[in-house]
Amino acid sequence: MFASNSLRKRIGAATVAALTAVTLTACAGGSTTGGDNAGNGGGNAGGDENKIVFWSNHPGSSRDLELELIAAFEEENPDLTVELVTAGSSYEELAQKFNAALAGSDLPDVIVASDVTWFNFALNEATTPLDELWEKEGLDPDSYVDTLREDYEYNGKHYGAPYSRSTNLMYWNTDDLAAAGLPADRGPETWEEFDEWAAKLKEQTGNPALVIPDGSNYLDWYFQGMVWAFGGAYSNEWEPSFSDPKTLEAAKFLQDQVNKGHIEISTDPTVAFGNGNASSLLQSTGSLAGLTDSATIPFITTYLPGPGPSAATGGAGLAIPNGISDTRKSNAIKFVDFITNTENTIMFSQKTGYMPVRKDALEDPEERTFLDENPNAETAIKQLNENTKPQDYARVFVPGGGKRIGGALDKITNGGQDVEKVFADLDKETQQVIDRDITPNLKN
């Protein structure tokens, strides 16, 4: 998720200039003042310093919730208005729109920046460091959960504030587990145990034991944890490791599970699980609230199979463009701080399933009561401290990494192609991008 100290030391100013032209890809509205602005692309061409333009893809189907947060902000700040713009249906689409906007002067004030896009925006100097803004406005960045805040740190500065933050979770149909004679209060501890469970579940239900998204819907994010559990990785810093024997073992296991019918790759896995057509689901914490409301089956949430750490953090933060006025930046950081404050992050978390991003959120009596009554919501918070680690460079720092890996995973699952060949090609393609866009600009 974040650049290591060695990364921060080795990337110099030349990288910023060299990567400015790199096309950005990603993982994983309306307005209280008059609706989406389709006429000017949702920007603020007039430079109205009393108006904040917020570009979002509404993570976790949060559009109405974002409008609620905006209304509360406007009530507290009557001199400011906020326009919520749907800047894409995904993190990738939003990043592409922002990348295109950088060529002009029509920039928003706040954008949603995913685990993949924030870093390249920071390298490009497309977004502004928040540290001076926090200090100028008397805000307290230390009140954010340390791990989540530091995910946006590069060269001693922070280029995002945590917002819709998540980890991978397993969701299990407890009726199916009980019917198959399996424990209904936990998930499998390893992927080898999953294979044993899957055979029993498929025999009992006739359905796949697990349904997961395809490569265009962030399978590359979910599969990363399986790779770690097998002892592999997508890369060792800037060195791709898709052809490492342990990485290949994980990929062959995935392919074998698909061939056995234990795992189904789906474009809409959440619906399939919620309707009882699969015994388990591998998805984001951001799916929890929707499933809680809509699922027709009882379920529990669990960590991903280990050995751990075997889950990646993900989701998105909020960033502020560099090319807007200082006044707009000050307004923007006030808005960012407000919609992620303790009260609002608790509300956002409870209504979406994302993790609270402020330290004192868990000390709030109402939040503690909510978690006690909804243990599924606490799984992600516990897993954050016990079973997660930073994502591999090949996915989050190499331009186009997630999309490239997702395409390869589609080839070996839905396409049934040879794992070793596909992953050798993936190694080669990733290395080419590193050699072209990154290595020449690294400082020793």
Side-chain angles (χ1 to χ4, degrees), residues 170 191 194 208-212 262-265 278-282:
M170 295 290 289
W191 284 106
F194 167 84
L210 172 64
V211 62
I212 54 178
H262 291 178
I263 293 179
E264 179 176 279
I265 308 295
S279 296
S280 68
L281 169 72
L282 175 51

Side-chain angles (χ1 to χ4, degrees), residues 78-422:
D79 294 334
L80 296 172
T81 60
V82 180
E83 179 186 8
L84 177 63
V85 175
T86 301
S89 61
S90 66
Y91 297 136
E92 178 175 310
E93 288 184 6
L94 191 152
Q96 290 170 345
K97 179 168 181 169
F98 181 61
N99 196 45
L102 294 173
S105 59
D106 195 6
L107 294 173
D109 298 87
V110 178
I111 64 168
V112 172
S114 81
D115 56 345
V116 170
T117 59
W118 79 266
F119 181 70
N120 282 296
F121 285 146
L123 282 178
N124 295 339
E125 297 184 326
T127 52
T128 192
L130 303 184
D131 305 82
E132 290 183 7
L133 296 175
W134 279 325
E135 183 176 1
K136 176 183 176 184
E137 301 302 327
L139 305 174
D140 181 17
D142 289 338
S143 64
Y144 287 107
V145 174
D146 292 342
T147 302
L148 302 181
R149 182 192 63 244
E150 293 309 298
D151 278 347
Y152 305 100
E153 193 271 339
Y154 168 63
N155 269 351
K157 298 180 180 180
H158 298 82
Y159 290 83
Y163 178 49
S164 53
R165 295 305 310 276
S166 61
T167 66
N168 312 141
L169 279 184
M170 295 290 289
Y171 297 75
W172 287 92
N173 181 329
T174 51
D175 282 351
D176 283 0
L177 292 174
L182 297 168
D185 59 352
R186 70 172 180 91
E189 296 180 357
T190 66
W191 284 106
E192 290 78 10
E193 185 178 30
F194 167 84
D195 181 42
E196 297 171 4
W197 284 28
K200 295 178 181 179
L201 286 164
K202 184 170 176 58
E203 181 179 0
Q204 176 67 35
T205 68
N207 294 324
L210 172 64
V211 62
I212 54 178
D214 64 11
S216 63
N217 289 287
Y218 313 130
L219 177 56
D220 50 290
W221 183 48
Y222 300 106
F223 177 64
Q224 193 168 203
M226 185 185 291
V227 170
W228 293 340
F230 276 81
Y234 288 159
S235 60
N236 178 14
E237 293 200 351
W238 294 119
E239 182 182 354
S241 55
F242 296 103
S243 294
D244 181 276
K246 294 180 179 179
T247 305
L248 292 174
E249 183 182 0
K252 290 176 180 178
F253 177 83
L254 173 64
Q255 186 183 64
D256 181 59
Q257 293 296 302
V258 171
N259 291 339
K260 286 181 176 179
H262 291 178
I263 293 179
E264 179 176 279
I265 308 295
S266 171
T267 57
D268 205 350
T270 304
V271 171
F273 172 75
N275 289 339
N277 295 322
S279 296
S280 68
L281 169 72
L282 175 51
Q283 257 289 9
S284 165
T285 58
S287 297
L288 178 58
L291 275 170
T292 301
D293 290 339
S294 64
T296 61
I297 46 92
F299 66 88
I300 59 169
T301 58
T302 72
Y303 291 8
L304 271 65
S310 61
T313 54
L318 299 174
I320 297 174
N322 213 10
I324 61 176
S325 70
D326 289 344
T327 298
R328 288 175 64 187
K329 289 179 182 179
S330 291
N331 292 339
I333 196 64
K334 292 176 186 176
F335 175 69
V336 167
D337 187 76
F338 179 86
I339 68 170
T340 62
N341 68 23
T342 300
E343 179 183 356
N344 289 327
T345 194
I346 288 173
M347 179 174 67
F348 193 84
S349 172
Q350 292 181 4
K351 292 187 177 182
T352 63
Y354 288 109
M355 295 182 291
V357 300
R358 299 282 184 168
K359 293 175 182 175
D360 59 357
L362 297 183
E363 301 169 6
D364 181 89
E366 291 187 7
E367 174 69 355
R368 189 63 262 164
T369 298
F370 173 82
L371 293 175
D372 289 343
E373 294 175 351
N374 298 274
N376 280 339
E378 194 166 18
T379 305
I381 298 170
K382 291 180 177 178
Q383 183 172 236
L384 176 66
N385 296 318
E386 298 176 2
N387 193 44
T388 62
K389 71 174 184 176
Q391 295 192 56
D392 295 331
Y393 287 16
R395 180 176 187 270
V396 291
F397 297 146
V398 177
K403 183 177 181 181
R404 190 176 303 110
I405 298 166
L409 293 174
D410 279 344
K411 290 178 181 178
I412 68 168
T413 54
N414 291 334
Q417 296 186 29
D418 180 74
V419 169
E420 293 191 9
K421 181 182 185 307
V422 170

